[in-house]
Every structure is written in structure tokens, then in C-alpha cells.
Amino acid sequence: MPVKVSVIVPVYNPGIYIEDCISSLQRQSLPPDEFEVIFVDDGSTDETPARLDALAAEDPRMKVVHQENSGWSGKPRNVGIEASRGEFVMFVDNDDYLGDEALERMYDYGVANGADVVVGKMAGRNRAVPVELFRRNHPRATVANAPLIDSLTPHKMVRRAFLDRIGLRFPEGRRRLEDHVFVAEAYLRAENVSVLSDYVCYYHIRRDDGSNAGFERFDPVGYFKNLREALDVVERYTEPGPVRDRLFRRWLRVEMVERLRSRRLLNLPDDYRRELFGEIHEVVVERFGPGVAAGLQPTQQVIAALTAVDRYDDVVAFAEWEAGVAPAAAPGDIEWRDGSLRIGFTAEYLSGGEPMLFPAGAEAAPLTDVPKDVTEAVRWVASETAARFGQATADLLLRERSSAAQYFQPVEFARETVPAGDGEEVRLVLRATATVDPADLPREGVWDALVRVKSGGWTKECRLGPAPREDRPTPHAGVVGDLPVLPYWTEPHGNLSLELGARGKRLGLGRVQLGDVTVSDRRFRVVLPVYVTDDREVRLRFVSSSRILERSGTLSPDADRPGSVLAADLPAEDLSGDVWRVALCLNPGAEGARFAGLPFALRAGSGSVLVTPAPGPGVALRLARRARRVLGAARRKVNSRIRTQGR
């Protein structure tokens, strides 16, 4: 069968970090005979060459090419392309890994849309990845209709025939930004680029030891010499005008202005940041016309203008002011409604820990002259931010804690100017409500709520919180489909998170009071702090010192208050003479479903059943041990009977 995808992995001294990469490749859902993996060992001096040879000996999908060290990743990728047999090639770094269905999904999506390049959704663990590009799927993306240019790392799937037809390969040698040169040309010459955003295909990892090649401090002279080569590609394949300016703006914004901002600049040694500033100044003057910087956000325009006229000290002073600017998001009402969690919040920017103030009635005015000092620059930024407040946005993202995969949630928001002081200044506040459908999240785990605030010259994220303990909303756990979902506040910081698949004490069933429990005519009824959308079958377990009994029950929405009502018949067996602990399984049909104990017990005798506090931990532990012994003895009897019948 033809090979659909060849995965190319350049390798150099990854140590243990290559293991996650290997495991993810072995777990791929694409049938084993439909893909191959080509590891190109670029002269590693650790244990990796032997590890790869052993891997290739036991797994026919894995191939290894050994070569002398070339200095960077360009040549190993080119060697991998030449050795590949796949319809598409996929580039993966040796310390990153793929989602289990990445190759299958990206290949199918690329074929369905006739794509020469397929860009899969990325998640970054302790490193930045594009966010706006992956808001939605883009089956037919271009540099003009989608923010493709935000993603210039090589981790794409590319049609091999396309590479051969246009003769595209990576620049080789010890150099930086070879991926920018390659990817920019691929975007500009491809017949179609498809962006897959509804599944995390690529996990971009920052090593714990900080030794990723991309995080090493670079030589500014060589770096910006290589950056000019990427600009050359854009000039070669575009005409002067808005599209070229928009593409150039990406390098001005990300590779230059952002390096001269806030803590990122201030944390560098003075001699190094002076050298960095000098190289950036040369590129800005040499390559960028006025239309490039004009499309930047206000703070970015200020830095670009100061850089163009070589005012290093003012750039540092502006960075010191900007280092005190940060977003804040305060939670509001949080409630279950129609199977979704509605999360209210407000968001604004702070300066020095206090709400930022902006001039009331400000009107937009282009930056026609370079500000004469930092005070004037700050004043212009404040005025422009207020004038552009109609473009400000707030988003809620849920980020899985274990993998850093993140997903935008639907949000409705309103912009509000709040008078401050004598009325000549205002606060710029975004009031929003997000709707979270847990069924749309791909898997169980802990998901942290983050708010992304875009206003004026800033696009920043912060956790949703902290929520003061005394007045924070306390929504119940809910059951959506077969998935228990727990909204909760982290300790000690008080930020909002969701736990999908919450179990045991985490569900909050311990808040049930004795007054919430009634027993009448062998009918059992409990008011629970659990949200459900409609009637659902649950499972009850009654545990005494010598017996375990199970019964089905029904969990129904409570018409009188938030939560639900559990109703079930008591076991028909004689319950007298025992104290019965009660446990509940909210999703008995789900894989890995578990019982959670309820904080009361039933005492049966004299023809009645009384509700009592649950036995203390020591008593409960003894009951559990006895119950396990009872269950074990019963299982042994059944197994013995089966073996006897078999003989």
C-alpha cells in the first residue's frame, strides 16, 4: 500500500526528551502500513543513535539515517525529504510530540481540500504558539484571508510533489530562521493551505532544562542577516502594497518590536540589549516603509517609531512603564443553564496594580511624529486605546493543564466606559458571559479558565480570578452526558478551573445535610448539589458490615432550587440489624465509572429506617474492609463454580 505520510524528525542530542516523540508516533491512528518515520541523526553524541537503531530494528515503520553534524536542522530535514516515500511529509522536532490522531486527521483534511500545506492546531507547553490562527478551521487559507504568517515553525504537513515541483528545500548550515524561509515560500507558492483547528495535532514543548535550540541566546548580527532572507522571499513572491506590508509587519512585530518590550527587554544584560537594538534599528530603517509600522497596535507603533530614530534610552524607559501593565479578570455569576456552564466576568487592564485610566472622549489621531519623550508616548497610547475601545475584545479560553491544549469558548461581551475621578478620565471595562459546553471539550482532565483581553496595544492573557472567598459563586458539580463536571476555585489563588471526570469527594456530595434525606414507605429521596438537565438513571450501593446491595435510582432536576433530587426504592431485602453506608454512581454506563460516598447512613430496625450521620472514618474503614472481604469471598465462590462446571 502506498505510504501516505513520511514523518521527518531531525535529531541532535535530545536525551530523554525524544521518548515522548517516539511514543506519540507509535500511537498514531493512521494504519501502520500507511506512514513511515525517518529519524535523521545529525551527529548526536549522547545515547540517542543506539536508541534509534534499536527502535528501527523492532518497528518496521521507523527508519534511521546517521550523518555528521551539520550545525542546524535544515540539512537533516532535507535528507529526510529525499529519503521519504510518502505522499505528504510531516516535520516534527525531536523534543515535541503529536496528538494520537494527528497524521490521520491532517492527511484526510489535506486530501479533502486539495492542500499543498496542512497546518495542524498547536499547543505550547511553557512556550508560545499561535492562538488567533486556530480559532476555527480554515479549509482554504491564504496569507490574505487568515493569519497564516503567525505560524512560521516547520511543524506542518506538506505535499511532497509540491516541494519537488517548485524545488523547495530548507536552507542548510549553522543558521537561524531556516524554517521562516521555507514556510514563507510554501505559503506564498502553494495552491492551497488548509488549517485544522478542531484537534490538537502538535505539542510544542519547552524542555525542563531549557536547552531547546530556539531558546538559546542568539548572535544578533547573524540572526537578523537570516531574517532578511525571509523578507527577501516575501519581496520575491508579492507585489508592493498592503499584502506585503501585512507580511512584513509580522517580522517587525514578533522578531523586533516584541523583543524590545517590557520585561523581555529589561531582563537582558545592557550590553546585549544594546547590540540587539542596534541590529533591529538597521533592519527597520533598511527594509520597512511607513505602511508596515502604521498597521501595528499603538504601543507597538511607539516602539517602532523610537527604534527607527535610534532612541535606545527612550525604548528602555517605555519598557519600564509597560512592565507594569497587566490584564485582570474578575468572575461574576457562574451558573448551569441548558446543559452548559454560563460564566460571567469583567476584564480590564491595570497599571501598577491599579485600574488604568484613559482620557474621556478621546479621538483617534495617527502617530505622525515620533513622541518627543516617554511621557508624550504614554499619553498618546492612552488616548488611542480609548479611541479604539470599540475594537476591544475579551475571550475565554479553557486550557488543559496537563497538555496546554486550549480552546476558545463562545463569549458575548459589552464595552463599558466607567467614569473615574473628576470625570475627565474613564476606565475601559469589558463585561462578558462565556458559555461552556463540557461535551465540546475533547477529554477528561483539569481545564483552567483564562481570559484573553485585546485592547489598544495589548493582547494579554490572565487567569479568571482571584475570587474573594467570602462572596465567590459556588456552582454545583454537573453531569453532562456521562461526564461529571466540577467547576471549582483553585487553592490558594482562587482562580476558576473545571475538572471533567471529577470523582469522589471532589464532587461535593459531602455537602448533603441530614434534612435533605427522607425515607418513606421503602422509598429513598435525597436532595443533591448536582446539576442535571433531565431525568437520568444512577446506581446506588448500600454497604453494611456483612453485605453489599445495589439498586438503580433516578436523578431528576430539582424544580425548587439549583441541584437535583435522587429517588430510589430501598433494597427489598431485610435491612434490620445493620448500619448501611450509601454510595452513589452518577454515570453507571460510562467506562471507569466510580461510586462516591454520601455523608449519611441508614439504620434499619423495628419496621422503620432512620437516617443518621455517617460513621466516623475508623468505622467507615472497617466497614469498607469487611465489604471487600464479602465481595472477594463471593467472587471466589463464583469462580470455583465456573471451574467445576468447566471440568
Side-chain angles (χ1 to χ4, degrees), residues 316-334:
V316 173
F318 191 79
E320 290 170 344
W321 168 75
E322 212 179 357
V325 175
D333 293 335
I334 301 177

Side-chain angles (χ1 to χ4, degrees), residues 43 262 350 415-416 519:
S262 192
L350 309 181
R415 305 175 183 93
E416 181 178 345
V519 179

